[in-house]
mmCIF file of all heavy atoms in Angstrom:
data_model
loop_
_atom_site.group_PDB
_atom_site.id
_atom_site.type_symbol
_atom_site.label_atom_id
_atom_site.label_comp_id
_atom_site.label_asym_id
_atom_site.label_seq_id
_atom_site.Cartn_x
_atom_site.Cartn_y
_atom_site.Cartn_z
ATOM 1 N N MET O 1 -12.838 -0.659 -27.793
ATOM 2 C CA MET O 1 -13.178 -1.201 -26.483
ATOM 3 C C MET O 1 -11.940 -1.311 -25.601
ATOM 4 O O MET O 1 -11.958 -0.989 -24.415
ATOM 5 C CB MET O 1 -13.827 -2.595 -26.627
ATOM 6 C CG MET O 1 -15.105 -2.643 -27.431
ATOM 7 S SD MET O 1 -16.440 -1.632 -26.738
ATOM 8 C CE MET O 1 -16.407 -0.242 -27.862
ATOM 9 N N PHE O 2 -10.832 -1.750 -26.223
ATOM 10 C CA PHE O 2 -9.607 -1.926 -25.453
ATOM 11 C C PHE O 2 -9.010 -0.594 -25.036
ATOM 12 O O PHE O 2 -8.715 -0.370 -23.856
ATOM 13 C CB PHE O 2 -8.582 -2.724 -26.277
ATOM 14 C CG PHE O 2 -7.263 -2.870 -25.562
ATOM 15 C CD1 PHE O 2 -7.064 -3.877 -24.638
ATOM 16 C CD2 PHE O 2 -6.227 -1.977 -25.798
ATOM 17 C CE1 PHE O 2 -5.866 -4.000 -23.974
ATOM 18 C CE2 PHE O 2 -5.011 -2.086 -25.134
ATOM 19 C CZ PHE O 2 -4.835 -3.100 -24.216
ATOM 20 N N VAL O 3 -8.809 0.299 -25.993
ATOM 21 C CA VAL O 3 -8.139 1.572 -25.710
ATOM 22 C C VAL O 3 -8.962 2.403 -24.725
ATOM 23 O O VAL O 3 -8.405 3.027 -23.801
ATOM 24 C CB VAL O 3 -7.890 2.357 -27.003
ATOM 25 C CG1 VAL O 3 -7.371 3.754 -26.715
ATOM 26 C CG2 VAL O 3 -6.892 1.604 -27.882
ATOM 27 N N ALA O 4 -10.282 2.430 -24.891
ATOM 28 C CA ALA O 4 -11.128 3.239 -24.022
ATOM 29 C C ALA O 4 -11.222 2.678 -22.610
ATOM 30 O O ALA O 4 -11.464 3.435 -21.667
ATOM 31 C CB ALA O 4 -12.529 3.361 -24.626
ATOM 32 N N GLY O 5 -11.005 1.368 -22.470
ATOM 33 C CA GLY O 5 -11.266 0.748 -21.175
ATOM 34 C C GLY O 5 -10.073 0.532 -20.286
ATOM 35 O O GLY O 5 -10.213 0.495 -19.063
ATOM 36 N N THR O 6 -8.873 0.390 -20.841
ATOM 37 C CA THR O 6 -7.739 -0.006 -20.004
ATOM 38 C C THR O 6 -7.220 1.113 -19.130
ATOM 39 O O THR O 6 -7.163 1.005 -17.910
ATOM 40 C CB THR O 6 -6.592 -0.569 -20.875
ATOM 41 O OG1 THR O 6 -6.304 0.370 -21.932
ATOM 42 C CG2 THR O 6 -6.973 -1.881 -21.490
ATOM 43 N N ASP O 7 -6.852 2.244 -19.726
ATOM 44 C CA ASP O 7 -6.276 3.340 -18.954
ATOM 45 C C ASP O 7 -7.278 3.914 -17.960
ATOM 46 O O ASP O 7 -6.921 4.266 -16.829
ATOM 47 C CB ASP O 7 -5.761 4.441 -19.871
ATOM 48 C CG ASP O 7 -4.312 4.229 -20.273
ATOM 49 O OD1 ASP O 7 -3.844 3.085 -20.136
ATOM 50 O OD2 ASP O 7 -3.661 5.187 -20.703
ATOM 51 N N THR O 8 -8.540 4.060 -18.365
ATOM 52 C CA THR O 8 -9.533 4.643 -17.468
ATOM 53 C C THR O 8 -9.783 3.746 -16.256
ATOM 54 O O THR O 8 -9.887 4.231 -15.130
ATOM 55 C CB THR O 8 -10.855 4.905 -18.204
ATOM 56 O OG1 THR O 8 -11.289 3.700 -18.852
ATOM 57 C CG2 THR O 8 -10.685 5.985 -19.258
ATOM 58 N N THR O 9 -9.859 2.436 -16.490
ATOM 59 C CA THR O 9 -10.083 1.504 -15.382
ATOM 60 C C THR O 9 -8.906 1.487 -14.417
ATOM 61 O O THR O 9 -9.084 1.577 -13.198
ATOM 62 C CB THR O 9 -10.342 0.088 -15.926
ATOM 63 O OG1 THR O 9 -11.514 0.096 -16.744
ATOM 64 C CG2 THR O 9 -10.538 -0.908 -14.797
ATOM 65 N N SER O 10 -7.698 1.364 -14.953
ATOM 66 C CA SER O 10 -6.524 1.296 -14.070
ATOM 67 C C SER O 10 -6.309 2.616 -13.340
ATOM 68 O O SER O 10 -5.944 2.636 -12.168
ATOM 69 C CB SER O 10 -5.275 0.909 -14.882
ATOM 70 O OG SER O 10 -4.991 1.853 -15.887
ATOM 71 N N ALA O 11 -6.533 3.753 -14.029
ATOM 72 C CA ALA O 11 -6.358 5.053 -13.379
ATOM 73 C C ALA O 11 -7.374 5.244 -12.250
ATOM 74 O O ALA O 11 -7.037 5.796 -11.187
ATOM 75 C CB ALA O 11 -6.495 6.175 -14.406
ATOM 76 N N THR O 12 -8.606 4.782 -12.443
ATOM 77 C CA THR O 12 -9.621 4.900 -11.396
ATOM 78 C C THR O 12 -9.217 4.105 -10.162
ATOM 79 O O THR O 12 -9.285 4.597 -9.024
ATOM 80 C CB THR O 12 -10.978 4.431 -11.918
ATOM 81 O OG1 THR O 12 -11.372 5.240 -13.026
ATOM 82 C CG2 THR O 12 -12.048 4.515 -10.836
ATOM 83 N N LEU O 13 -8.774 2.870 -10.350
ATOM 84 C CA LEU O 13 -8.311 2.060 -9.218
ATOM 85 C C LEU O 13 -7.112 2.711 -8.533
ATOM 86 O O LEU O 13 -7.016 2.719 -7.295
ATOM 87 C CB LEU O 13 -7.953 0.658 -9.709
ATOM 88 C CG LEU O 13 -9.135 -0.284 -9.965
ATOM 89 C CD1 LEU O 13 -8.683 -1.505 -10.759
ATOM 90 C CD2 LEU O 13 -9.767 -0.711 -8.633
ATOM 91 N N GLU O 14 -6.209 3.248 -9.328
ATOM 92 C CA GLU O 14 -5.016 3.886 -8.786
ATOM 93 C C GLU O 14 -5.379 5.068 -7.887
ATOM 94 O O GLU O 14 -4.840 5.212 -6.774
ATOM 95 C CB GLU O 14 -4.145 4.348 -9.949
ATOM 96 C CG GLU O 14 -2.839 5.006 -9.564
ATOM 97 C CD GLU O 14 -2.085 5.475 -10.806
ATOM 98 O OE1 GLU O 14 -2.688 6.168 -11.656
ATOM 99 O OE2 GLU O 14 -0.894 5.142 -10.919
ATOM 100 N N TRP O 15 -6.303 5.918 -8.340
ATOM 101 C CA TRP O 15 -6.674 7.084 -7.546
ATOM 102 C C TRP O 15 -7.490 6.691 -6.313
ATOM 103 O O TRP O 15 -7.360 7.323 -5.252
ATOM 104 C CB TRP O 15 -7.444 8.076 -8.408
ATOM 105 C CG TRP O 15 -6.586 8.851 -9.356
ATOM 106 C CD1 TRP O 15 -6.609 8.831 -10.708
ATOM 107 C CD2 TRP O 15 -5.548 9.790 -8.993
ATOM 108 N NE1 TRP O 15 -5.653 9.672 -11.228
ATOM 109 C CE2 TRP O 15 -4.989 10.275 -10.206
ATOM 110 C CE3 TRP O 15 -5.029 10.246 -7.780
ATOM 111 C CZ2 TRP O 15 -3.952 11.206 -10.223
ATOM 112 C CZ3 TRP O 15 -3.993 11.166 -7.795
ATOM 113 C CH2 TRP O 15 -3.471 11.644 -8.992
ATOM 114 N N ILE O 16 -8.329 5.663 -6.428
ATOM 115 C CA ILE O 16 -9.092 5.220 -5.254
ATOM 116 C C ILE O 16 -8.143 4.763 -4.154
ATOM 117 O O ILE O 16 -8.245 5.185 -2.991
ATOM 118 C CB ILE O 16 -10.063 4.093 -5.626
ATOM 119 C CG1 ILE O 16 -11.182 4.605 -6.536
ATOM 120 C CG2 ILE O 16 -10.681 3.490 -4.358
ATOM 121 C CD1 ILE O 16 -12.067 3.519 -7.103
ATOM 122 N N MET O 17 -7.208 3.885 -4.502
ATOM 123 C CA MET O 17 -6.273 3.385 -3.484
ATOM 124 C C MET O 17 -5.363 4.491 -2.966
ATOM 125 O O MET O 17 -4.948 4.473 -1.796
ATOM 126 C CB MET O 17 -5.457 2.224 -4.054
ATOM 127 C CG MET O 17 -6.227 0.918 -4.192
ATOM 128 S SD MET O 17 -6.868 0.274 -2.610
ATOM 129 C CE MET O 17 -5.347 -0.270 -1.822
ATOM 130 N N THR O 18 -5.047 5.455 -3.807
ATOM 131 C CA THR O 18 -4.254 6.604 -3.348
ATOM 132 C C THR O 18 -5.001 7.375 -2.273
ATOM 133 O O THR O 18 -4.450 7.711 -1.212
ATOM 134 C CB THR O 18 -3.924 7.538 -4.533
ATOM 135 O OG1 THR O 18 -3.120 6.827 -5.480
ATOM 136 C CG2 THR O 18 -3.167 8.769 -4.056
ATOM 137 N N GLU O 19 -6.269 7.682 -2.533
ATOM 138 C CA GLU O 19 -7.043 8.445 -1.555
ATOM 139 C C GLU O 19 -7.310 7.634 -0.291
ATOM 140 O O GLU O 19 -7.313 8.181 0.813
ATOM 141 C CB GLU O 19 -8.366 8.911 -2.178
ATOM 142 C CG GLU O 19 -8.205 9.995 -3.243
ATOM 143 C CD GLU O 19 -7.723 11.329 -2.675
ATOM 144 O OE1 GLU O 19 -7.502 11.413 -1.439
ATOM 145 O OE2 GLU O 19 -7.577 12.284 -3.459
ATOM 146 N N LEU O 20 -7.521 6.338 -0.427
ATOM 147 C CA LEU O 20 -7.720 5.500 0.772
ATOM 148 C C LEU O 20 -6.451 5.460 1.618
ATOM 149 O O LEU O 20 -6.508 5.480 2.852
ATOM 150 C CB LEU O 20 -8.148 4.092 0.366
ATOM 151 C CG LEU O 20 -9.540 3.958 -0.257
ATOM 152 C CD1 LEU O 20 -9.827 2.511 -0.645
ATOM 153 C CD2 LEU O 20 -10.628 4.495 0.691
ATOM 154 N N ALA O 21 -5.288 5.396 0.969
ATOM 155 C CA ALA O 21 -4.020 5.398 1.701
ATOM 156 C C ALA O 21 -3.818 6.723 2.420
ATOM 157 O O ALA O 21 -3.211 6.776 3.513
ATOM 158 C CB ALA O 21 -2.864 5.122 0.750
ATOM 159 N N ARG O 22 -4.326 7.809 1.845
ATOM 160 C CA ARG O 22 -4.204 9.128 2.467
ATOM 161 C C ARG O 22 -5.239 9.337 3.571
ATOM 162 O O ARG O 22 -5.092 10.255 4.385
ATOM 163 C CB ARG O 22 -4.382 10.223 1.410
ATOM 164 C CG ARG O 22 -3.305 10.259 0.355
ATOM 165 C CD ARG O 22 -3.570 11.350 -0.678
ATOM 166 N NE ARG O 22 -3.463 12.673 -0.081
ATOM 167 C CZ ARG O 22 -4.425 13.588 -0.079
ATOM 168 N NH1 ARG O 22 -5.603 13.304 -0.631
ATOM 169 N NH2 ARG O 22 -4.229 14.781 0.458
ATOM 170 N N HIS O 23 -6.269 8.491 3.593
ATOM 171 C CA HIS O 23 -7.351 8.636 4.574
ATOM 172 C C HIS O 23 -7.618 7.272 5.227
ATOM 173 O O HIS O 23 -8.611 6.599 4.886
ATOM 174 C CB HIS O 23 -8.616 9.181 3.909
ATOM 175 C CG HIS O 23 -8.440 10.513 3.249
ATOM 176 N ND1 HIS O 23 -7.998 10.649 1.940
ATOM 177 C CD2 HIS O 23 -8.619 11.774 3.728
ATOM 178 C CE1 HIS O 23 -7.922 11.936 1.651
ATOM 179 N NE2 HIS O 23 -8.293 12.640 2.716
ATOM 180 N N PRO O 24 -6.749 6.837 6.139
ATOM 181 C CA PRO O 24 -6.877 5.495 6.736
ATOM 182 C C PRO O 24 -8.222 5.248 7.404
ATOM 183 O O PRO O 24 -8.714 4.111 7.413
ATOM 184 C CB PRO O 24 -5.734 5.459 7.756
ATOM 185 C CG PRO O 24 -4.762 6.505 7.297
ATOM 186 C CD PRO O 24 -5.581 7.578 6.645
ATOM 187 N N ASN O 25 -8.834 6.293 7.961
ATOM 188 C CA ASN O 25 -10.140 6.098 8.606
ATOM 189 C C ASN O 25 -11.212 5.715 7.597
ATOM 190 O O ASN O 25 -12.085 4.891 7.874
ATOM 191 C CB ASN O 25 -10.550 7.372 9.364
ATOM 192 C CG ASN O 25 -10.607 8.587 8.465
ATOM 193 O OD1 ASN O 25 -9.814 8.708 7.527
ATOM 194 N ND2 ASN O 25 -11.535 9.506 8.723
#
C-alpha cells in the first residue's frame, strides 16, 4: 500500500502543477 501509493500520488500532483504553471489561463 505504501510503495504503490506514495510515488504515484506525489508524481501526479507534481505534473498537474507543472502543467498549470505552463498554462496560466
